[in-house]
Amino acid sequence: MSGGERFYLNRELSWVEFNARVLEEGLDAANPPLERLRFLSIVSSNLDEFFMVRVASLKAAAQKNPDAQADDMSGMSYAEVLSAISRRVRELSGRQYAYLSHELLPALAQSGLEIQRPSDWDAQTARWLELWYESQVEPALTPIAVPPEGEGDFPVTGNLRIHVAFLLRHALDQSQERLVIAQVPPNLGRFVRLPACGDLTVRMALLDDVVLMFGGRMFPGWDVRERTLFKITRDADIGVDEDEDENFKAAMEKIVVDRQSSKPVRMTISADSEGLEPILSARLGLQPEDVYPLAGPIDLKSFAALAELAGFDQLRYPAHHPVAVFEAAEGNSVFDELRKRDLVVHAPYESFGTVLDFIDSAARDKATLAIKITLYRTSSDSPIIASLTKAVRAGKQVTVVLELKARFEEERNLAWANRLERAGVIVVYGAARLKVHAKAALVVRKEEDGQVRRYTHLSTGNYNDKTARLYGDLSLLSSSPDLTRDVSSFFNAVTGLSSLGELRHLAMAPFDLKRRLVSMIDREAERSSPESPGLIMAKLNSLGDKAVIDALYRASQKGVNVLLNVRGVCQLVPGLGGLSENIQVLSIVGRFLEHSRIVYFRNGGMDELYLSSADWMPRNLDRRVELMFPVLEPQAKERILFILSAYFEDTAKARSLGPSGRWTRVPVGDDDPLSAQELLAQEAARRMELQHDNADSRDLK
């Protein structure tokens, strides 16, 4: 199939449209006010990462050849993509800040939470803040003079650090001007709680506003001609020398440091800065299209902390309590249960505690011989790490495949690597030139009968107890000999850098996952007929691999019904006559981040269901170590198929992708809106009640 804009959407612009859907949730009055604020902060956080990685990469390529195609699918040049990104991001930011300033912050103030900007300060508040600045803030500030152009480089501002710029004029000699910058101290907290005024309102000021208004005190004898707040986003798309095997950790540590002084990609700046904006952008080597004036606080990412502020439960979603999948009891451990059946854990509706218990039970159990696990992103105080160190100190062999190249997690993973190695854990740093993104654990035990048996955990999401409360992920716990044998082969291949033996059930990227996936899509097309059309259902985070998209187009042309639920990037174009009229693409953005990857094939009545760590993107299928694994047990299969189907019934949070590339809300119809996330929460609660009822019945017998 030939490339061209008609058949494929641009990856970067598709990603920006995902953030447009997140922004819609922030503008939706049906969501509680603090949840709307959280969505607005997510948009800002996402854009920071987008500019650091994707835009930085595009700009570097555009400097070499701006007219070259940005990818081999959409047909757009680098210059066209960058221009389109700039226009759309400015449009979205304008909506974001207009809503924040004119609707959301006033609504929060009416509800008892007031964020005061300098224009809101009365004389008493301003005086209190000035005294607080003098005693608490000014000692921590370091003003740095910017050398005149041609006499020195612009001072290093770090990455994503809020700064104040002061344009000064000498009080006695008006011809003398000076530019000075000062970083807003990042460790004092973004929000300053103001004294109570006798009512129930919680009032807060922003630390950056305080420094902006009173920072001129640092320059006696100089008048502040203009002042502004700004933040620099720097290139984080820095590669590491994969051949530095002997000193790989040191190379990764250098990456973390270099990001603080790498090439500027974007500057966000207060919208009221007229004189300083061109001066700063020129000194930083930024073009006008790289500068984004914002009519409000220049960094909304930290506003997510306000969504957790105590005392405002009425402004948030009702508290969510994950239910237990399995509760260990005397005489029935998690291993006893897995010898009877597979367990499915559906976070965040079901507790991640089952997975933590699996690892911790293995660490404590005298029968355990070995534990092997992949770690990509973990929490800052990970109980998994604690269990693994406990296991190795108890004499068990523990192997951790720790991915140091997990972007923006490098520093944390380096710290975990050092801690694990000190404890005696065998730490393997992934595979050369490939990120290990697979989520797998293997426990080897010597049973009471003297037999050695393996148990496994496979997942679509990370071993992270914090994100498991917010991310929708599915995982499978099993003692199936066939499945655990494959998992054992997987670990041997990764840790031993050996050739991969035949896997009966698992598909592994970058070796055979894409081939098997395309083969199953083509098989569905071959077995489809007008009397019995094929069916493919898939839930993904991103879809951008050309071979997979072309296979889906072929399936559609053969009459296969293709239902796709894609959270973020989707380069496939649905609804094109003669090509993709049998393909429907939906996307759900709601309270929880959709993160699970599920794919179903009707397969002529012999249906197959798979879970995977991999999205259908070239990076996942060609440049990462990923796993796709089948759900074989009938009850587990039936349950996950119910979960998958729910995402195509949503009329509350679903948007539909049209042939033009635009997303529109799915019509509600005459019935009440159906939220897949709410339905799945109710289903998890119902399952727990049923388990308790069955347990009570057994006790009565």
Side-chain angles (χ1 to χ4, degrees):
M1 179 178 298
S2 62
E5 281 187 277
R6 181 188 172 202
F7 302 129
Y8 311 97
L9 300 173
N10 179 265
R11 167 184 167 159
E12 318 306 343
L13 297 179
S14 182
W15 189 92
V16 173
E17 291 311 310
F18 160 63
N19 280 278
R21 300 194 291 281
V22 177
L23 178 59
E24 282 185 6
E25 290 299 306
L27 306 181
D28 190 346
N31 292 320
L34 285 180
E35 303 298 346
R36 281 177 262 158
L37 184 65
R38 194 195 308 272
F39 280 115
L40 296 187
S41 75
I42 290 171
V43 172
S44 292
S45 178
N46 285 351
L47 286 175
D48 279 344
E49 184 170 337
F50 179 61
F51 275 86
M52 280 191 288
V53 179
R54 300 304 307 173
V55 174
S57 176
L58 287 170
K59 286 175 67 67
Q63 286 182 345
K64 297 176 182 176
N65 188 353
D67 296 325
Q69 287 190 6
D71 58 51
D72 62 352
M73 294 172 65
S74 70
M76 298 179 69
S77 70
Y78 289 112
E80 289 172 330
V81 173
L82 286 168
S83 177
I85 288 172
S86 179
R87 288 195 304 272
R88 186 61 168 143
V89 168
R90 291 175 198 280
E91 178 186 345
L92 295 178
S93 296
R95 293 177 61 196
Q96 177 189 22
Y97 276 84
Y99 183 79
L100 176 76
S101 300
H102 302 307
E103 297 190 47
L104 185 52
L105 290 183
L108 288 171
Q110 289 180 355
S111 300
L113 177 58
E114 186 175 0
I115 309 301
Q116 292 195 346
R117 303 301 305 280
S119 59
D120 303 318
W121 300 346
D122 58 24
Q124 184 178 359
T125 298
R127 180 56 181 159
W128 185 91
L129 283 170
E130 185 175 14
L131 293 173
W132 183 84
Y133 162 85
E134 181 180 355
S135 64
Q136 302 296 319
V137 183
E138 189 171 278
L141 293 176
T142 303
I144 300 176
V146 178
E149 190 167 5
E151 297 183 17
D153 295 332
F154 195 88
V156 174
T157 61
N159 187 33
L160 304 180
R161 305 285 177 85
I162 302 176
H163 282 72
V164 184
F166 298 94
L167 187 59
L168 306 175
R169 179 173 291 167
H170 198 281
L172 299 179
D173 183 356
Q174 296 291 295
S175 65
Q176 290 189 46
E177 284 193 345
R178 179 179 298 173
L179 176 60
V180 181
I181 64 172
Q183 182 184 145
V184 176
N187 52 357
L188 292 181
R190 182 80 188 278
F191 302 97
V192 183
R193 192 147 184 169
L194 298 169
C197 292
D199 55 22
L200 298 179
T201 298
V202 172
R203 300 186 308 142
M204 292 189 175
L206 295 174
L207 178 61
D208 27 307
D209 283 342
V210 174
V211 177
L212 179 75
M213 298 308 295
F214 303 115
R217 294 164 43 107
M218 294 186 292
F219 314 110
W222 294 80
D223 298 327
V224 178
R225 178 182 165 194
E226 188 176 333
R227 67 191 84 195
T228 195
L229 292 161
F230 71 99
K231 183 183 78 173
I232 303 301
T233 306
R234 295 184 181 274
D235 183 357
D237 190 36
I238 305 172
V240 63
D241 186 355
E242 300 276 0
D243 295 324
E244 290 289 335
D245 294 330
E246 294 183 0
N247 205 14
F248 188 58
K249 282 202 298 182
M252 290 308 303
E253 289 168 351
K254 185 174 184 299
I255 292 287
V256 175
V257 172
D258 287 349
R259 280 189 186 143
Q260 298 303 315
S261 58
S262 59
K263 186 177 179 63
V265 176
R266 175 180 67 149
M267 178 172 68
T268 50
I269 188 169
S270 298
D272 57 358
S273 173
E274 296 181 0
L276 277 170
E277 178 186 320
I279 295 174
L280 290 170
S281 58
R283 293 303 311 274
L284 287 161
L286 294 170
Q287 300 301 313
E289 59 267 23
D290 303 322
V291 180
Y292 290 76
L294 300 176
I298 63 167
D299 189 341
L300 296 185
K301 182 167 56 177
S302 59
F303 275 61
L306 290 180
E308 305 296 334
L309 199 63
F312 292 94
D313 289 347
Q314 74 280 10
L315 304 182
R316 285 187 282 267
Y317 291 129
H320 169 69
H321 302 289
V323 302
V325 176
F326 165 74
E327 295 178 350
E330 187 174 350
N332 190 41
S333 70
V334 66
F335 302 110
D336 296 325
E337 192 70 16
L338 290 178
R339 286 194 293 272
K340 305 171 195 171
R341 63 181 177 122
D342 289 354
L343 289 176
V344 173
V345 181
H346 189 199
Y349 313 104
E350 293 174 328
S351 173
F352 191 68
T354 300
V355 179
L356 298 178
D357 180 58
F358 174 69
I359 301 298
D360 196 58
S361 294
R364 290 183 287 104
D365 197 330
K366 293 181 180 179
T368 300
L369 301 176
I371 302 172
K372 302 180 182 184
I373 192 170
T374 62
L375 294 180
Y376 192 78
R377 298 185 192 276
T378 59
S379 60
S380 58
D381 54 350
S382 172
I384 294 277
I385 299 289
S387 294
L388 295 173
T389 54
K390 183 193 308 178
V392 77
R393 286 168 182 160
K396 298 164 177 56
Q397 186 184 80
V398 179
T399 304
V400 175
V401 179
L402 184 61
E403 184 49 77
L404 294 183
K405 299 189 294 293
R407 199 183 301 275
F408 305 122
E409 297 288 336
E410 299 96 340
E411 196 166 3
R412 177 179 294 170
N413 286 359
L414 283 163
W416 286 137
N418 291 330
R419 174 176 167 179
L420 289 167
E421 286 180 331
R422 285 197 302 268
V425 172
I426 301 169
V427 180
V428 178
Y429 301 116
R433 283 166 284 280
L434 296 172
K435 283 187 180 181
V436 178
H437 192 250
K439 326 297 182 184
L442 186 72
V443 172
V444 183
R445 301 176 76 246
K446 190 170 186 178
E447 310 285 287
E448 291 183 3
D449 60 4
Q451 297 296 312
V452 173
R453 186 160 189 166
R454 292 175 286 211
Y455 301 79
T456 190
H457 172 259
L458 296 164
S459 180
T460 67
N462 293 301
Y463 289 101
N464 189 317
D465 54 301
K466 298 295 191 299
T467 57
R469 301 172 192 169
L470 302 171
Y471 289 16
D473 271 306
L474 281 159
S475 58
L476 180 72
L477 290 141
S478 177
S479 66
S480 161
D482 288 341
L483 195 59
T484 56
R485 187 183 301 111
D486 274 9
V487 176
S488 185
S489 296
F490 159 76
F491 274 106
N492 290 343
V494 173
T495 61
L497 299 179
S498 58
S499 60
L500 185 68
E502 182 181 358
L503 300 178
R504 293 187 58 190
H505 295 291
L506 298 182
M508 180 177 172
F511 304 105
D512 68 337
L513 201 162
K514 182 194 284 192
R515 178 187 59 79
R516 289 178 62 176
L517 189 60
V518 171
S519 175
M520 287 187 286
I521 296 171
D522 286 338
R523 181 191 64 187
E524 196 70 20
E526 292 168 5
R527 296 186 177 183
S528 180
S529 67
E531 298 75 26
S532 180
L535 174 63
I536 298 172
M537 292 193 292
K539 180 178 178 298
L540 309 159
N541 295 335
S542 302
L543 171 57
D545 186 89
K546 188 175 185 298
V548 175
I549 292 174
D550 289 350
L552 292 170
Y553 285 157
R554 291 193 297 270
S556 173
Q557 290 172 317
K558 290 283 189 174
V560 176
N561 292 315
V562 180
L563 303 179
L564 303 174
N565 199 294
V566 185
R567 185 194 80 207
V569 170
C570 181
Q571 293 186 254
L572 177 147
V573 183
L576 293 176
L579 182 69
S580 58
E581 68 265 34
N582 293 314
I583 301 179
Q584 180 185 19
V585 180
L586 300 177
S587 180
I588 290 177
V589 177
R591 174 177 185 174
F592 303 118
L593 180 79
E594 293 299 338
H595 195 254
S596 57
R597 295 92 165 182
I598 317 168
V599 59
Y600 167 86
F601 300 95
R602 180 172 285 164
N603 190 26
M606 301 171 61
D607 62 341
E608 294 181 355
L609 184 67
Y610 297 88
L611 302 176
S612 180
S613 63
D615 286 308
W616 293 354
M617 300 287 285
R619 67 180 185 186
N620 299 92
L621 301 176
D622 299 330
R623 300 190 296 276
R624 289 185 177 183
V625 175
E626 305 270 15
L627 286 175
M628 182 174 73
F629 51 97
V631 182
L632 301 172
E633 193 177 77
Q635 284 186 323
K637 192 173 181 179
E638 180 182 0
R639 184 173 171 224
I640 294 177
L641 185 55
F642 169 83
I643 291 169
L644 176 60
S645 299
Y647 287 105
F648 296 101
E649 299 170 6
D650 191 297
T651 55
K653 297 295 183 181
R655 282 88 168 169
S656 177
L657 178 62
S660 67
R662 294 188 59 187
W663 293 86
T664 56
R665 282 192 177 271
V666 170
V668 176
D670 297 330
D671 299 326
D672 291 334
L674 186 149
S675 165
Q677 293 188 350
E678 291 180 8
L679 175 65
L680 295 172
Q682 294 165 5
E683 175 64 12
R686 187 193 66 79
R687 288 177 56 81
M688 183 183 70
E689 290 175 4
L690 185 61
Q691 285 184 30
H692 285 171
D693 291 344
N694 292 339
D696 291 342
S697 298
R698 288 193 297 270
D699 292 342
L700 289 173
K701 294 178 181 178

